[in-house]
Amino acid sequence: MFLDRPSRSSLEVSMQITASAISLNVDDVIASATFVKQHFGFSEEMAAEGFVSLSRSDAGFNLIFLQTNLESFKPIHMRGHRADGLLIVFVVDDIDREYARIQSEGVKITTAIETEPWGERFFQVTDPNGVVIQLVQWDTEK
C-alpha cells in the first residue's frame, strides 16, 4: 500500500524556506564554535548562554552549537544526546589546497585524503567535541 504524498510542486507552493540551519548538541559550545571560526571561516551571528549560531555567506545554512542538556532544548527526550554519528560536509573546489591549509594550521587529520570509485575525493577532521567535518571535491569525470 502506498501513501498519497503531495507532489513536489504542491509543496513548493505551500511552503517557502527562507533559511536553513544545523543544530548540534555539544559539551563545549565555545570550543566547537572557535574551531569552526578559526579553520573554516564561519562568523558568529548570535550567542547566548549555551548557544552560538555561526554563518558563512556561501554555506547556505547556519551552524548552531547548543550546550548538551539545555533546559530549553526540545524534544526533551533528545536533550542529553550529543552530535555523534553524523558528518558536516563542505564541498570545495580544491581539496588538495584545503588539505595543505588545514595541516599547516596544525589541525589533526582524522581521515587522510581518499578517493571513492564514484569520484568523491575527501578528507575529515574532528572538532574538540568529536564533531566530524568532511571536505569534499567531486571528480566530475567519473
Side-chain angles (χ1 to χ4, degrees), residues 42-121:
F42 277 74
S43 298
E44 190 173 298
E45 253 188 32
M46 288 187 284
E49 184 67 31
F51 160 86
V52 65
S53 178
L54 306 168
S55 67
R56 263 186 74 122
S57 63
D58 59 352
F61 66 94
N62 279 36
L63 182 55
I64 299 171
F65 293 108
L66 302 171
Q67 179 70 44
T68 306
N69 289 316
L70 276 179
E71 286 297 317
S72 61
F73 187 86
K74 304 294 186 285
I76 293 170
H77 74 277
M78 298 288 293
R79 186 175 288 161
H81 289 245
R82 287 171 177 74
D84 59 354
L86 62 88
L87 305 173
I88 298 172
V89 180
F90 301 125
V91 178
V92 298
D93 291 330
D94 187 339
I95 197 77
D96 296 303
R97 182 182 68 221
E98 294 303 326
Y99 189 76
R101 179 187 63 79
I102 289 291
Q103 283 186 310
S104 74
E105 292 174 1
V107 176
K108 182 180 175 202
I109 303 297
T110 305
T111 304
I113 290 182
E114 294 183 14
T115 303
E116 299 290 359
W118 53 85
E120 177 184 14
R121 188 162 159 78

Side-chain angles (χ1 to χ4, degrees), residues 11 14 22 31-32 39 81 83 87 93 108:
L11 284 176
S14 65
I22 296 171
S32 284
H39 301 296
H81 289 245
L87 305 173
D93 291 330
K108 182 180 175 202

Side-chain angles (χ1 to χ4, degrees), residues 2-22:
F2 293 97
L3 299 174
D4 285 336
R5 294 185 180 165
S7 69
R8 182 181 170 126
S9 61
S10 68
L11 284 176
E12 290 172 345
V13 171
S14 65
M15 178 177 76
Q16 182 178 5
I17 296 175
T18 59
S20 297
I22 296 171

